[in-house]
Amino acid sequence: MSDAFRELLKKIGSGPHTGENLTREEAKSAMGMMLQGVATPAQIGAFLIAHRIKRPTGEELAGMLDACETHCQLLPSVNVSSPVLVFGCPYDGRSRTAPLTAITALILATAGQTVLMHGGSRMPTKYGIPTIDVWQSLGVNWQGLSLSQLQQVLTTTGIGFAYLPDRFELAFNLVTYRDQIGKRPPLATMELIWSPIAPPYHLVAGFVHPPTEDMFRDALALRGVNSFTLIKGLEGSCDLPRERTVIIGLVDDGKFERMHLHPREYGVAGQNVPLSTTTISPTSPLVAQMQGVLAGKPAEKEFIQSAIWNGGFYLWRCGLCPDIQTGIATAETLLTTGKAAAKLRELTAALSKVTCD
C-alpha cells in the first residue's frame, strides 16, 4: 500500500465540506502512482470513484496529462506543412449514431492534412463501436504496430491511429477499473485531450457537458496548448451533428472564439445517421453504408451529407479551404470522384507494406 497515495486519496475523498482539489503536481503524482501500480487496486478504485464524485478540475487534468507524457513514448513530430490534427473521441465508442471520424480522416488526408486518432478496443462503460473497429471493418488494421511503423504510415499516407495497448500499455492496464466501478472516471475525460504525438499538433476534442469544455480549456492553457478545437459533437465525439446547432469552441494563439454552426444555413440539415446495432464487421450494414459513401452512391444520401458536413468544416478549420461552404463542396468532390476511396486503398497498402517488411 502507498502511504503517499493514501494521503492524496484522503484529500479528494473527504466529502463536500472538507474535501480539496489536488494541485497540478499532486495530480501528476497520483496519476503516476496509478500508472506504475504503486497504488493498490483498492486505492485506485477508491480514487477514481472519489475523483468522479468530486469532479476534476482543469489543473488536475493538466497534472494527469503531465504524468501520461512522462510514462508513455510519444510519436515524434512529423515534418508537415501544418500541425497534425489529433482527434480526441470517447474511447467507449458509439451506440446511437454512425461514427464519421474515419471518413473525415480520409477526406482530410486526401486534401493534404495529416490526421492522428487514438483509442482502444471495446471499452466500458458504454461498450459502443470504437474507432479502431470501424477501421478494421474497412480493412485497415492498426493493431500491433511498432512506433516506427506507425510513424512511417502516418508520414506516407497522412493518417495514423495510436492503439492504446501498443502505444501506452500502462494506461491500458487501468481500463479494467472502468468496468469494475461502473462509471466513467476522470481518465475518460483526460484521454480526450491527450495527444500521442509530440508538438506541434492541433487538438480536436468532443464534449457533452459545458463544464467539461471549461475544464479542457483550463487544462490545455496550463499545458501551453494554445490552438485547439472543442466540439459539442455526436455522443461526445468530434463528429458534427446535423439535427441541431453545433456548439464549437475555437482557440487560436490562446484566443477563444465561440461558434454556433447551423446546418440548415449550409444546406446540410437532416437526420443524424442512426445505428441499428453496435455490432460491426466487414459485412455489417454500417460498413456497407460507409463503403457506399466512399463510392459516392446516391442511395447513401444522408450518410454522404453527414460526411461532407464534417469534412467541409474540418477542411476549413485546417486552413485548406477559405470558408465552410467551399469546404463542403470540396469534401463532396473528394468523395464523388473516388479520391477518398483511393486514399483508403493507399492506406491499406502502406500498412501491409510496413508489416511485411
Side-chain angles (χ1 to χ4, degrees):
M1 180 176 67
S2 169
D3 291 339
F5 191 86
R6 183 173 59 180
E7 292 305 308
L8 297 175
L9 176 56
K10 286 167 61 177
K11 186 172 182 178
I12 66 166
S14 297
H17 300 297
T18 58
E20 301 177 62
N21 296 324
L22 301 180
T23 66
R24 179 174 177 178
E25 191 58 37
E26 287 172 331
K28 178 182 179 180
S29 178
M31 186 68 188
M33 285 188 277
M34 289 191 290
L35 288 170
Q36 293 178 293
V38 174
T40 67
Q43 288 179 322
I44 294 173
F47 183 92
L48 294 178
I49 198 67
H51 204 201
R52 175 186 167 86
I53 292 170
K54 181 190 77 67
R55 301 296 182 188
T57 65
E59 184 175 0
E60 289 171 336
L61 291 179
M64 294 167 73
L65 288 167
D66 292 343
C68 290
E69 193 170 271
T70 299
H71 293 289
C72 77
Q73 188 178 15
L74 296 176
L75 275 164
S77 59
V78 295
N79 185 21
V80 290
S81 57
S82 61
V84 174
L85 194 72
V86 178
F87 278 121
C89 293
Y91 281 14
D92 62 357
R94 301 286 279 276
S95 61
R96 302 188 305 275
T97 54
L100 301 160
T101 311
I103 291 180
T104 302
L106 290 168
I107 291 171
L108 291 174
T110 303
Q113 173 62 51
T114 303
V115 181
L116 180 62
M117 297 149 284
H118 54 97
S121 298
R122 297 273 172 168
M123 196 172 292
T125 54
K126 193 194 299 182
Y127 285 107
I129 297 174
T131 306
I132 196 164
D133 281 7
V134 175
W135 282 114
Q136 182 78 43
S137 297
L138 289 172
V140 180
N141 182 14
W142 294 107
Q143 299 179 30
L145 297 180
S146 68
L147 191 70
S148 61
Q149 287 173 328
L150 177 56
Q151 184 181 19
Q152 184 177 339
V153 173
L154 181 66
T155 302
T156 57
T157 70
I159 299 178
F161 189 101
Y163 182 50
L164 195 64
D166 295 330
R167 298 279 66 81
F168 196 1
E169 186 177 5
L170 292 179
F172 175 71
N173 292 338
L174 295 177
V175 170
T176 183
Y177 293 97
R178 303 185 185 200
D179 192 43
Q180 293 173 0
I181 67 177
K183 288 290 185 179
R184 287 190 183 92
L187 301 177
T189 302
M190 177 209 71
E191 66 203 10
L192 297 175
I193 52 173
W194 174 63
S195 173
I197 192 168
Y201 55 79
H202 184 104
L203 182 76
V204 182
F207 69 92
V208 175
H209 306 295
T212 302
E213 183 190 25
D214 293 336
M215 282 190 289
F216 285 170
R217 289 175 58 190
D218 291 344
L220 293 170
L222 285 168
R223 285 180 48 79
V225 181
N226 60 7
S227 293
F228 54 89
T229 304
L230 304 175
I231 307 283
K232 186 174 172 58
L234 293 172
E235 300 184 55
S237 74
C238 304
D239 293 344
L240 279 63
R242 293 171 54 219
E243 293 177 334
R244 60 170 170 83
T245 298
V246 191
I247 300 172
I248 301 172
L250 306 177
V251 176
D252 293 296
D253 296 325
K255 297 179 181 179
F256 177 79
E257 178 186 351
R258 171 66 71 213
M259 172 179 275
H260 292 89
L261 283 185
H262 307 288
R264 65 179 179 277
E265 294 180 1
Y266 296 90
V268 293
Q271 298 294 310
N272 298 318
V273 179
L275 280 180
S276 57
T277 176
T278 56
T279 300
I280 186 170
S281 72
T283 59
S284 67
L286 173 61
V287 176
Q289 287 178 298
M290 296 181 75
Q291 290 170 337
V293 170
L294 291 171
K297 292 183 178 179
E300 302 300 341
K301 179 182 176 181
E302 292 299 326
F303 212 133
I304 289 175
Q305 289 291 95
S306 294
I308 65 173
W309 175 224
N310 277 268
F313 168 77
Y314 286 112
L315 285 169
W316 165 75
R317 182 60 176 143
C318 294
L320 296 169
C321 290
D323 52 64
I324 296 175
Q325 200 68 63
T326 303
I328 289 172
T330 302
E332 185 172 17
T333 298
L334 294 176
L335 288 172
T336 57
T337 58
K339 291 182 179 179
K343 175 59 71 172
L344 177 60
R345 293 191 295 272
E346 177 192 343
L347 178 59
T348 304
L351 277 163
S352 177
K353 184 177 185 301
V354 299
T355 54
C356 291
D357 287 347

